[in-house]
């Protein structure tokens, strides 16, 4: 098989999902005729593949899961929404009069967020952006984006980049997923193989695919609350609170101690 | 990346789609908690990938596309439903008192069809089954299954197998899709590359993927009505009628001339 081209698969998907959502612009059609839902395809390095409708990236507040609402209520001051996607959360914060910046590494995601009215956006990694002189009071990692910690190796650098952007008393509000409740042998053995290679069990090696394009392979971390606490040790962040009402999903608040 | 294991990806998908449909049995859940729709992932040899909800395999007659209803009205006598899938069409024919056999190469598909009440099923290729002494009056190829002709090389053998199973005056009722109306450069260039290799433009080299399993690579043919007529030349079948009300989809009736 020809390998897919590497590119902004996430952005292409978000663009199409937005076109389907609004009914405007080029949309995926079956037979040039029947609308088809936009599907996000996630491939794991062990050959596992999963498709999921992309519409949730454009969910309105009344369609959000309840933990998203609880997470948003934990925002204080100036907010950086990291992995802003189609702007689902950031646009609602802006609507509520909160100063919010949307950051993403996907040009397509930033384009859609702006088109939907998000005023302050940044196309960059957190590392790149951390050289900016701006400071934030809240860093939001919703939509499972605690996963952007990636791995035990990467987490300290990611957290240090946020520390450079942190105003005194800043917090991270992050939604994670504890992967260890599963009994699915596919996942249990993946966790075991990870540990045998010295990785955290829920460290997923993934790529997104959309039509002819794939992202490069990246790590995405599903970790338990205990693992999160270990990752924070030695950083400028400490765990302040955990909301576990919707297990295995949780919302963690981490406080800046620098 | 580890390549997925080869197996009955279609059957695994149909089993899960059936569990979601009925609410009974092991179902795919996000976080072990939120139901997730079953998605069929189709990969093309050039790296293109598409996901589509699998629920249509279990669509009730009031959810069918209109050409399916028109195709079913073209059935005469004893019916062989080729690529029966989850039994969507065959179960309705049986309900109407029509003698119908469901054939599939997927053990999972046959299992689900039987579980849903389809009485007469065969797990085999048409070539294997063509050695049976039974004869049919109608061969049904719905759900785009005219594609099972595969290629100009394979079509004569497929049609000869059906001829061996054909009662006098038998017909094939097949739903196809003309691929050449598209302006999508991804598809147009695929068609051109096919022709440059001596293949029919719409000869797709595909595999299905579901979770950790993939089918082997197979050919699936989207052809124009003109191409279909060429493929029938020299076989025991001749084109009797074409219903093109829902272009690019069409329903072709082919008559046994043997």
């Amino acid at each position: 098989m020809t390998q897919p081209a590497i590119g902004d698969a996430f952005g292409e998907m978000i663009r199409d999902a937005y076109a389907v959502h609004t009914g405007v612009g080029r949309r995926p059609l079956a037979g040039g005729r029947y609308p088809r839902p936009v599907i996000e395809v996630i491939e794991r390095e062990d050959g596992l593949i999963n498709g999921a409708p992309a519409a949730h990236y454009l969910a309105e507040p009344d369609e959000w899961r309840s933990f998203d609402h609880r997470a948003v209520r934990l925002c204080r001051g100036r907010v950086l929404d990291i992995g802003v996607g189609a702007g689902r959360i950031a646009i609602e914060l802006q609507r509520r009069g909160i100063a919010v910046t949307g950051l993403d590494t996907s040009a397509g995601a930033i384009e859609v967020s702006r088109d939907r009215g998000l005023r302050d956006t940044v196309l960059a990694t957190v590392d790149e952006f951390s050289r900016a002189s701006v400071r934030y009071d809240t860093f939001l990692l919703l939509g499972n984006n605690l996963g952007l910690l990636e791995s035990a190796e990467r987490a300290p650098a990611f957290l240090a980049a946020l520390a450079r952007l942190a105003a005194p008393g800043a917090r991270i509000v992050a939604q994670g997923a504890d992967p260890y409740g599963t009994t699915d042998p596919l996942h249990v053995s993946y966790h075991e193989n990870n540990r045998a290679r010295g990785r955290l069990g829920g460290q997923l090696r993934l790529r997104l695919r959309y039509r002819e394009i794939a992202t490069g392979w990246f790590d995405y971390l599903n970790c338990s609350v205990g693992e999160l606490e270990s990752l924070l040790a030695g950083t400028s962040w400490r765990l302040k609170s955990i909301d576990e009402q919707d297990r295995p999903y949780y919302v963690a608040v981490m406080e800046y101690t620098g």
Side-chain angles (χ1 to χ4, degrees), chain A:
Chain A
M1 193 197 92
T2 308
Q3 280 299 310
I6 304 297
D8 186 11
F10 183 76
E12 290 297 310
M13 177 193 77
I14 290 290
R15 276 197 192 95
D16 276 4
Y18 180 53
V20 167
H21 186 76
T22 57
V24 175
R26 189 199 63 166
R27 275 158 289 163
L29 296 169
R33 184 181 170 113
Y34 297 94
R36 19 182 303 145
V38 173
I39 302 291
E40 180 172 35
V41 174
I42 304 177
E43 203 170 13
R44 203 170 66 182
E45 62 174 343
D46 61 339
L48 180 72
I49 205 156
N50 262 310
H56 68 91
Y57 286 106
L58 289 138
E60 298 296 333
D62 63 355
E63 304 163 310
W64 292 357
R65 292 187 181 163
S66 53
F67 51 72
D68 281 333
H69 288 286
R70 297 199 302 276
V72 159
R73 284 198 291 271
L74 297 166
C75 290
R76 302 284 178 267
R78 200 162 174 185
V79 177
L80 181 66
D81 185 353
I82 299 169
V84 69
R88 176 176 73 93
I89 302 282
I91 289 164
E92 174 62 12
L93 292 178
Q94 182 177 281
R95 200 190 61 74
R96 295 184 191 178
I98 295 169
V100 58
T101 303
L103 179 141
D104 213 292
T105 59
S106 159
I110 291 293
E111 184 188 303
V112 168
S113 287
R114 294 194 69 84
D115 204 54
R116 297 179 76 202
L118 186 62
R119 287 187 294 267
D120 190 14
T121 59
V122 178
L123 175 62
T125 64
V126 290
D127 309 74
E128 289 160 356
F129 188 52
S130 71
R131 287 170 217 129
S133 57
V134 65
R135 294 291 174 271
Y136 290 94
D137 303 293
T138 302
F139 301 94
L140 265 186
L141 292 164
L142 299 190
N144 262 344
N145 270 343
L146 183 61
L148 296 176
L149 290 180
E150 293 188 18
S151 65
E153 292 68 39
R154 166 69 181 151
F158 184 91
L159 293 165
L162 299 196
R164 287 195 292 278
L165 291 164
R171 50 173 54 180
I172 301 168
V173 177
Q175 185 255 305
D178 184 325
Y180 305 122
T182 185
T183 56
D184 186 329
L186 264 181
H187 297 313
V188 171
S189 68
Y190 190 82
H191 299 162
E192 285 167 1
N193 286 337
N194 263 343
R195 288 195 193 94
R197 291 192 287 165
R199 304 160 117 205
L200 290 168
Q203 184 178 332
L204 310 179
R205 186 112 186 118
L206 306 175
R207 64 175 178 178
L208 303 185
R209 293 179 63 179
Y210 187 69
R211 289 174 42 93
E212 80 280 25
I213 301 175
T215 64
W217 292 95
F218 59 89
D219 287 317
Y220 200 75
L221 182 64
N222 285 340
C223 64
S224 67
V225 174
E227 287 172 332
L228 175 61
E229 289 201 81
S230 307
L231 293 172
L232 294 176
T235 74
S236 332
W237 301 93
R238 78 168 161 233
L239 193 60
K240 181 173 183 255
S241 69
I242 287 279
D243 167 349
E244 293 188 278
Q245 281 183 54
D246 291 300
R247 272 184 216 178
Y249 303 106
Y250 58 86
V251 176
V253 178
M254 292 156 269
E255 239 175 0
Y256 181 51
T257 62

